Amino acid sequence: AQKVTQAQTEISVVEKEDVTLDCVYETRDTTYYLFWYKQPPSGELVFLIRRNSFDEQNEISGRYSWNFQKSTSSFNFTITASQVVDSAVYFCALSEGWRSQGNLIFGKGTKLSVKP
Amino acid sequence: EAQVTQNPRYLITVTGKKLTVTCSQNMNHEYMSWYRQDPGLGLRQIYYSMNVEVTDKGDVPEGYKVSRKEKRNFPLILESPSPNQTSLYFCASSPNLRTSGSDNEQFFGPGTRLTVL
């Protein structure tokens, strides 16, 4: 069965620290997609990244980077030089294959607090 | 502007009073779905639709109904709301990967905060 685990419920860091949010997934499909979303205190869900199972290249976007490792079924998210505006709940999600591409299985989220 | 809209954004109602939360997307997406978000549980899928007149249950469908008569709309219906349906609800849409290639972002609406007394 498919599952997404975000073991860190809450993380607190001081501004400018680097922080890594962990995501471990389970799936039996060979074709799947992984996502990260940010939910700031205002409540909306902000799309950050999508990665498909055939593309293990790591991605960097400004202060954000993602490390996808199929060998450990992990898709971790690192924020470099964190800022107060990064404070939010971050969700990792999985969608399996062509048939289930519209269905996201979410982790329970990691609440990140960045203190000045 | 490409977007998913939901109405109402906030709703307080009483047990048993039927309600509908509307969802509309302007991107001609085939896939639409509803999620509910509860503290400590993350987001869980209620129902999804792969195209017009095609709907299916997600993980927590009990107490909910949906319909997909048009591609752009996917309303969520609570026939007899109960307090355990107090939650934050999100509608989402996405294109079909087979036709959109690599561009498969899930677009989420702004959320509807529902309180059932």
Side-chain angles (χ1 to χ4, degrees):
Chain A
Q2 63 274 35
K3 186 179 178 182
V4 175
T5 301
Q6 293 180 255
Q8 304 147 310
T9 307
E10 291 193 42
I11 300 175
S12 183
V13 299
V14 176
E15 210 169 18
K16 295 186 183 157
E17 282 186 29
D18 298 348
V19 58
T20 295
L21 309 182
D22 297 334
C23 174
V24 175
Y25 62 92
E26 294 176 30
T27 178
R28 283 183 286 210
D29 272 11
T30 54
T31 301
Y32 54 89
Y33 304 87
L34 296 163
F35 302 78
W36 275 96
Y37 285 86
K38 174 182 180 180
Q39 187 176 43
S42 50
E44 73 273 22
L45 285 164
V46 178
F47 170 82
L48 296 178
I49 190 171
R50 180 191 68 88
R51 176 65 74 227
N52 72 52
S53 52
F54 301 112
D55 181 4
E56 280 193 80
Q57 277 194 332
N58 292 329
E59 174 118 358
I60 298 175
S61 176
R63 296 183 297 106
Y64 295 171
S65 62
W66 290 269
N67 182 4
F68 177 29
Q69 292 200 340
K70 288 176 78 170
S71 60
T72 55
S73 298
S74 65
F75 187 43
N76 296 337
F77 173 32
T78 297
I79 302 175
T80 302
S82 59
Q83 300 176 1
V84 173
V85 293
D86 295 327
S87 296
V89 180
Y90 290 87
F91 291 98
C92 180
L94 163 74
S95 128
E96 294 180 314
W98 300 108
R99 292 184 312 281
S100 304
Q101 58 181 288
N103 312 342
L104 292 182
I105 307 297
F106 283 86
K108 294 184 179 179
T110 297
K111 182 178 181 180
L112 174 64
S113 298
V114 181
K115 303 190 186 318
Chain B
E1 180 192 353
Q3 60 183 344
V4 178
T5 56
Q6 294 178 229
N7 282 292
R9 295 288 314 279
Y10 302 90
L11 179 60
I12 300 174
T13 188
V14 295
T15 299
K17 186 176 181 182
K18 180 179 178 180
L19 67 92
T20 299
V21 184
T22 64
C23 173
S24 182
Q25 49 96 2
N26 62 0
M27 296 164 280
N28 202 37
H29 285 167
E30 291 186 20
Y31 287 89
M32 295 187 76
S33 51
W34 277 101
Y35 297 85
R36 62 177 285 176
Q37 182 180 7
D38 302 290
L41 297 177
L43 287 92
R44 296 175 294 168
Q45 191 177 60
I46 304 170
Y47 268 95
Y48 64 96
S49 169
M50 297 173 72
N51 213 326
V52 175
E53 302 292 3
V54 180
T55 63
D56 213 339
K57 295 177 181 179
D59 297 320
V60 288
E62 293 78 23
Y64 304 95
K65 284 175 59 177
V66 292
S67 69
R68 189 91 182 273
K69 293 185 172 58
E70 310 162 275
K71 202 171 188 179
R72 62 182 293 126
N73 296 323
F74 191 45
L76 179 69
I77 303 156
L78 284 72
E79 296 268 4
S80 183
S82 62
N84 64 13
Q85 293 178 297
T86 293
S87 188
L88 177 59
Y89 292 85
F90 287 99
C91 180
S93 74
S94 63
N96 186 333
L97 270 178
R98 289 186 185 274
T99 53
S100 69
S102 62
D103 186 18
N104 180 38
E105 176 186 337
Q106 284 256 347
F107 289 79
F108 280 85
T112 294
R113 190 167 290 282
L114 172 65
T115 301
V116 183
L117 302 175

